[in-house]
Amino acid sequence: MAPVRDLYEILGVERGASGEDIKKAYRGLARELHPDVNADPAAETRFKEIVGAYEILSDPQKRQQYDAYGQGGGPAGFPFNDIQDIFDMFFGGQGFAGAGGVGTRRRGPRRTRTQRGEDLFIATALTFEEAAFGVQRELQVDRLTACESCMGVGAEPGTAPVACRTCGGAGETQQVRRSIFGTLMTAAPCQVCEGTGQEILDRCKTCGGDGRLVGKEAITVDLPAGVADGMELRVTGSGHAGRAGGPQGDLYVGIRVEPSEAFERHGQDLASILDISMTQAALGADLQIDTLDGPEHVKIEPGTESGTTLRIRGKGVPNLNRRGRGDLFVTVHVRVPADLSKVERKLLEQLAEIREERSSKKDPARAPLRRPES
């Protein structure tokens, strides 16, 4: 058997260290390893060790007992399997408590058969418009519901759970060990009743004693206006039924939104591209475009350049769970025809001559550059 780690070694002090040296070493290690300042799980384990070691070595009587019997595993016949065995012998199997209230092996409250149901997750797909304005959706969910035969108790109708015959209803079993310091008693959750203290002798034949059955159920969910792709909506109390009358879990609905052919979403704002001809850009035009709310009139000013952005207020996506809506930003894209007819080409040549923009390779027109706008 490997030797158990020495308490003096845990604190990093010599065996003959004074009480002040032990206190100083403990404080230094506690500041370094305390869970409030060190998130490493290994640091928490080390912190518990130094707290236990300090509580023994800082007490003159306990230190004297440890020096006599604790080091190296104790006298023959009383070997220590780990550091916790040493702590148990000094603290009666109830663990120890030190700075910050950190301890180990304290007896917790007895478990109960009543447990909250597990949560459920289901994904649903929405159109772009459904996500924008909200929709009511009926979802088919496979979930555990309370058994109607035993009303979720798990016992055959006419019977009820009884006190566990193994632990006597305590929820834990105890073991007695002899040591050089006397009798050591340890406790562990009862494996028969899983720490609940109750045992079902006659299990329900319908659910096999679980108290729940799997079934498909239709759940109506109101998906609010403004939801976006990737969001999760929690429907409280629509998950699995709880055990032994416990509360139901929750249902989480994952939102998947189909993309739109006309709009791109940026938060609550929408962006789109409007293609216009070069004559509409030059002369101006009154156009009708489609929005989420239906047709909308826009005015193209004469001389509009490609890349100009028009802002249509209040035609974006409604704000989720609050008033107001985003805006629609329409970027103008001027299309230049590449398949001109003879008549169209002749008219454009005439326009170029009028504007003195006609040129050739022999007589190229001057085209000055300008710096991009930031």
Side-chain angles (χ1 to χ4, degrees):
M1 181 179 299
V4 178
R5 194 175 177 199
D6 181 29
L7 299 187
Y8 292 97
E9 180 185 347
I10 290 175
L11 292 179
V13 296
E14 298 293 334
R15 175 167 289 274
S18 65
E20 188 63 30
D21 291 337
I22 291 175
K23 181 186 295 186
K24 183 178 180 181
Y26 164 71
R27 288 179 175 176
L29 291 171
R31 283 194 296 267
E32 176 187 349
L33 300 171
H34 197 285
D36 290 343
V37 298
N38 194 326
D40 187 354
E44 182 177 353
T45 301
R46 284 275 291 116
F47 180 75
K48 292 176 180 180
E49 287 185 350
I50 66 169
V51 171
Y54 176 71
E55 290 201 9
I56 294 174
L57 298 183
S58 63
D59 186 304
Q61 183 177 358
K62 292 179 180 178
R63 181 179 180 182
Q64 183 179 9
Q65 290 178 330
Y66 175 74
D67 289 342
Y69 302 109
Q71 169 61 12
F78 299 97
F80 299 135
N81 294 321
D82 55 32
I83 192 68
Q84 187 63 46
D85 284 347
I86 298 177
F87 295 156
D88 285 344
M89 291 185 179
F90 285 96
F91 302 112
Q94 298 302 309
F96 56 87
V102 178
T104 61
R105 296 198 182 181
R106 292 190 179 276
R107 179 183 297 182
R110 191 178 68 181
R111 300 178 187 177
T112 173
R113 293 189 65 249
T114 301
Q115 297 179 18
R116 179 183 180 275
E118 300 86 349
D119 294 332
L120 274 172
F121 177 86
I122 189 172
T124 186
L126 305 180
T127 66
F128 198 86
E129 290 74 16
E130 287 174 336
F133 296 115
V135 66
Q136 188 177 80
R137 184 64 54 83
E138 186 177 90
L139 304 175
Q140 298 294 326
V141 179
D142 292 322
R143 67 174 181 175
L144 293 169
T145 58
C147 175
E148 295 182 358
S149 296
C150 65
M151 304 301 293
V153 176
E156 186 68 13
T159 66
V162 299
C164 178
R165 294 169 296 177
T166 302
C167 64
E172 62 182 20
T173 56
Q174 297 181 339
Q175 292 181 341
V176 178
R177 296 165 54 191
R178 295 178 58 195
S179 74
I180 191 64
F181 302 108
T183 300
L184 173 65
M185 183 175 294
T186 59
C190 176
Q191 296 183 356
V192 175
C193 66
E194 298 180 345
T196 65
Q198 292 184 319
E199 181 181 4
I200 298 177
L201 299 180
D202 191 6
R203 295 181 177 274
C204 174
K205 294 180 176 62
T206 303
C207 64
D210 185 70
R212 303 180 298 176
L213 293 170
V214 178
K216 186 177 290 290
E217 190 170 350
I219 300 177
T220 301
V221 178
D222 290 319
L223 302 172
V227 295
D229 185 71
M231 284 185 175
E232 289 186 2
L233 176 69
R234 185 177 71 175
V235 185
T236 304
S238 293
H240 289 304
R243 292 180 180 273
Q248 285 190 220
D250 298 331
L251 172 65
Y252 288 85
V253 181
I255 307 297
R256 303 291 180 265
V257 181
E258 300 172 358
S260 169
E261 294 184 359
F263 305 107
E264 184 176 87
R265 182 171 173 177
H266 301 280
Q268 306 311 111
D269 294 328
L270 296 178
S272 189
I273 295 177
L274 174 62
D275 291 321
I276 63 174
S277 67
M278 62 180 188
T279 54
Q280 289 173 326
L283 303 176
D286 289 323
L287 302 177
Q288 183 174 275
I289 63 172
D290 292 327
T291 69
L292 289 177
D293 302 272
E296 183 77 15
H297 172 265
V298 294
K299 181 177 181 62
I300 305 298
E301 297 293 338
T304 297
E305 295 184 355
S306 187
T308 301
T309 298
L310 308 176
R311 181 177 185 177
I312 306 176
R313 297 184 180 276
K315 296 301 179 181
V317 177
N319 294 316
L320 183 62
N321 296 327
R322 56 190 178 93
R323 295 182 178 180
R325 294 178 60 174
D327 300 328
L328 171 60
F329 293 86
V330 179
T331 301
V332 175
H333 176 250
V334 180
R335 290 181 286 106
V336 178
D339 53 347
L340 295 173
S341 65
K342 292 183 178 180
V343 175
E344 291 172 333
R345 185 175 183 82
K346 186 65 175 177
L347 290 174
L348 287 177
E349 289 175 348
Q350 292 176 359
L351 176 62
E353 290 178 357
I354 294 173
R355 295 180 58 85
E356 297 181 352
E357 295 173 348
R358 188 69 187 274
S359 60
S360 64
K361 291 183 178 180
K362 293 182 179 180
D363 184 22
R366 181 174 176 79
L369 299 176
R370 61 186 178 89
R371 62 181 293 178
E373 295 181 2
S374 57

